[in-house]
Amino acid sequence: MLKTFYTEIGFLGALVLALGLFVLFILWVAGIAGITLPVDGGKPRGSKTEIAIAIFFPIYPVLWLFYEMYHQREFLKKDNNDLIV
């Protein structure tokens, strides 16, 4: 398959495509791990429906991951968060 991409779009195109798909796969796995990660109390963060959506629609966990990272950043920027330094 990569040989076909190599002949069609050249070396740099095939390299960018292969690395891009690899990064998207890693982000997909990380998003699924984050959705199914149990929170305090042992109950999963996501519902069974959300986990099924994450498996069958690979873009959802990637978007969820960026959404969570943004909200964690906003939480850490607040002065009155409940973190002890």
Side-chain angles (χ1 to χ4, degrees):
M1 187 166 98
L2 266 176
K3 184 178 179 184
T4 304
F5 290 128
Y6 177 76
T7 57
E8 295 295 321
I9 58 178
F11 174 75
L12 285 178
L15 181 67
V16 168
L17 182 68
L19 288 175
L21 289 175
F22 177 71
V23 168
L24 283 176
F25 175 75
I26 295 299
L27 290 174
W28 178 63
V29 171
I32 289 177
I35 291 172
T36 59
L37 182 72
V39 294
D40 292 335
K43 142 181 149 174
R45 182 180 301 208
S47 64
K48 301 264 187 219
T49 306
E50 189 176 17
I51 294 169
I53 290 170
I55 292 170
F56 293 117
F57 298 104
I59 195 68
Y60 175 72
V62 175
L63 295 176
W64 179 89
L65 192 64
F66 287 124
Y67 175 79
E68 284 294 316
M69 288 175 11
Y70 174 76
H71 280 285
Q72 287 180 10
R73 179 178 176 263
E74 293 298 316
F75 175 76
L76 290 174
K77 282 174 53 177
K78 288 192 311 189
D79 289 337
N80 59 349
N81 57 23
D82 58 352
L83 296 175
I84 299 172
V85 179

